[in-house]
Amino acid sequence: MELGSADAFDRMGTLGVEEEFYIVDADGRPTSGIDDLVYGPEPPEPLAGRLDHELFKFTIETQTPLIEVPDEAGAAVETVREALVDHAANHGYRIAAAGLHPAAKWRELDHATKPRYQAQLDRIQYPQHRNTTAGLHVHVGVDDADKAVWVANELRWYLAPLLALSANSPFWNGFDTGLASARAKVFENLPNTGMPTAFDDFEDFQRFERRMVEYGSIDDRGELWYDVRPHTGHGTVEIRTPDAQTDPERVADFVEYVHALVLDLADRYESGESGTTVRRELLDENKWRATRYGRDTDFVAPDSEGVVSLESFVESESDRLGVDGLRSLLDAESGTAVQRRIHEESGLDALCEHLTLD
């Protein structure tokens, strides 16, 4: 039974970035490639020990090394991406990035044979069979387990604006869903996903984690796929909400903000703040607004009195935390808008080409 420990939470402010990508052929169409890229010859050094795959044979995941200097996160992401693109090219593949691949039709794609994923397919059935999603996960180290749980609780309100800014998946299974982030809704069909309930402290969270394993709901703690979670193996708070991003600069912008936000919340915990009480239903409502409308919406305020526009959120958070990336994300055309524009103007072939990283 794989469970984490409070002892893992021993470093404050370190960073790690996980990105999920798609393996595609010369025409930018999804193709099975993990046998060569993950299980074949040893990948180049930036990827050694930091390359894995997901449920389908056309999905692949990278992890950066531990990042101790936040300003180096962008360079670390680009180094890993460049190594992945080169590694794929050496085996005749290309790499694409988006929350969902517009040409991926799950019934026509092969699942990985890894026992972990076969067990999930057997247990979860239809929702997992169609899970072709790709996300961006940001880990920030926290030096105390109770603090990590408190920070994760507080982060829940911020997840909807992050999803709105990251939305990059309007197409799923070959059609336009009408959603800004179809990935969010497809992934949310799995068990143990979406917006978590607040936990009283680390003991409360660990009790839940242990029960889920002991009662057979999950095989290990890694199958708690909530939008934010204390990672009891890495000693981090992990935000899992954003869609995968095509542009690495957008990844760096998200990492900058998430890091600053976690440090700010950690300071507020140390100052004795009691935390924010927000109804789970309102958090779900905010996430739905981001899923459906992306940037073209507002959000129920943290105190549940009135609404907050995305523009005012970006302005206030940028000024409060002294970050620049949020404004860059808001000023640029959204990933969802770019995809729809290219698809309408030039068709699916052009869109697939746009999403490739080389």
Side-chain angles (χ1 to χ4, degrees):
M1 180 170 65
E2 185 184 350
L3 293 172
S5 167
D7 295 337
F9 296 89
D10 60 0
R11 304 184 74 176
M12 190 69 220
T14 56
L15 277 165
V17 182
E18 298 174 352
E19 293 192 89
E20 295 165 348
F21 299 100
Y22 297 116
I23 303 167
V24 296
D25 62 19
D27 297 321
R29 296 302 203 275
T31 189
S32 296
I34 63 170
D35 289 345
D36 294 322
L37 301 186
V38 177
Y39 296 112
E42 188 72 15
E45 174 54 34
L47 301 176
R50 303 187 186 96
L51 193 62
D52 204 348
H53 63 86
E54 294 297 324
L55 174 70
F56 282 87
K57 287 188 174 183
F58 83 108
T59 54
I60 193 165
E61 178 187 272
T62 62
Q63 302 101 32
T64 63
L66 181 71
I67 302 167
E68 301 195 61
V69 180
D71 289 345
E72 296 176 358
V77 166
E78 294 212 30
T79 296
V80 169
R81 281 182 167 224
E82 289 169 3
L84 178 62
V85 169
D86 290 345
H87 181 48
N90 289 337
H91 292 274
Y93 301 106
R94 303 172 77 190
I95 298 296
L100 289 166
H101 196 286
K105 296 184 178 181
W106 64 269
R107 290 182 179 87
E108 301 172 3
L109 296 164
D110 296 325
H111 292 116
T113 58
K114 190 175 184 178
R116 170 184 176 84
Y117 293 119
Q118 289 297 309
Q120 290 174 7
L121 289 167
D122 183 61
R123 183 176 76 249
I124 300 171
Q125 290 293 317
Y126 174 70
Q128 185 70 323
H129 276 271
R130 64 180 195 152
N131 178 22
T132 58
T133 60
L136 165 65
H137 304 161
V138 182
H139 291 259
V140 182
V142 179
D143 58 2
D144 176 81
D146 286 335
K147 184 192 300 184
V149 171
W150 190 91
V151 168
N153 288 342
E154 291 298 297
L155 281 169
R156 294 179 306 151
W157 186 86
Y158 298 88
L159 300 179
L162 283 173
L163 178 60
L165 288 167
S166 76
N168 190 28
S169 55
F171 298 97
W172 179 72
N173 213 39
F175 66 93
D176 190 332
T177 63
L179 305 177
S181 175
R183 166 191 165 268
K185 189 51 66 177
V186 171
F187 194 75
E188 214 170 56
N189 277 277
L190 301 178
N192 314 309
T193 57
M195 194 66 63
T197 299
F199 292 91
D200 294 336
D201 50 28
F202 183 75
E203 182 180 359
D204 187 30
F205 177 79
Q206 191 172 47
R207 185 184 307 114
F208 168 74
E209 187 179 71
R210 181 178 293 109
R211 283 174 175 167
M212 291 293 283
V213 175
E214 289 177 348
Y215 297 168
S217 296
I218 58 177
D219 288 335
D220 58 64
R221 56 174 169 72
E223 292 181 349
L224 295 178
W225 297 311
Y226 297 110
D227 289 344
V228 61
R229 64 184 182 185
H231 196 296
T232 59
H234 295 325
T236 62
V237 171
E238 179 187 8
I239 284 186
R240 302 167 48 84
T241 306
D243 280 1
Q245 299 297 295
T246 311
D247 184 346
E249 291 185 6
R250 295 193 185 193
V251 176
D253 291 337
F254 280 112
V255 172
E256 178 199 35
Y257 174 63
V258 169
H259 183 261
L261 180 58
V262 169
L263 293 188
D264 173 70
L265 290 170
D267 286 344
R268 287 154 65 179
Y269 172 84
E270 294 286 356
S271 299
E273 283 197 23
S274 59
T276 306
T277 301
V278 185
R279 288 190 64 93
R280 164 74 180 274
E281 294 87 347
L282 293 179
L283 294 173
D284 286 339
E285 168 62 17
N286 279 350
K287 185 181 178 184
W288 163 246
R289 292 180 179 208
T291 298
R292 170 63 180 89
Y293 300 107
R295 300 181 185 186
D296 299 325
T297 191
D298 47 27
F299 305 99
V300 179
D303 61 4
S304 303
E305 298 294 332
V307 295
V308 177
S309 70
L310 185 60
E311 291 77 8
S312 64
F313 166 83
V314 166
E315 287 302 314
S316 63
E317 287 295 278
S318 297
D319 292 341
R320 186 175 72 87
L321 298 177
V323 296
D324 300 318
L326 283 180
R327 289 191 176 98
S328 298
L329 289 167
L330 184 64
D331 290 343
E333 187 178 13
S334 73
T336 286
V338 170
Q339 286 200 45
R340 285 193 169 120
R341 174 175 55 78
I342 292 174
H343 189 270
E344 181 178 356
E345 293 176 354
S346 305
L348 181 60
D349 289 346
L351 177 55
C352 290
E353 184 63 31
H354 165 75
L355 297 177
T356 58
L357 301 186
D358 52 352

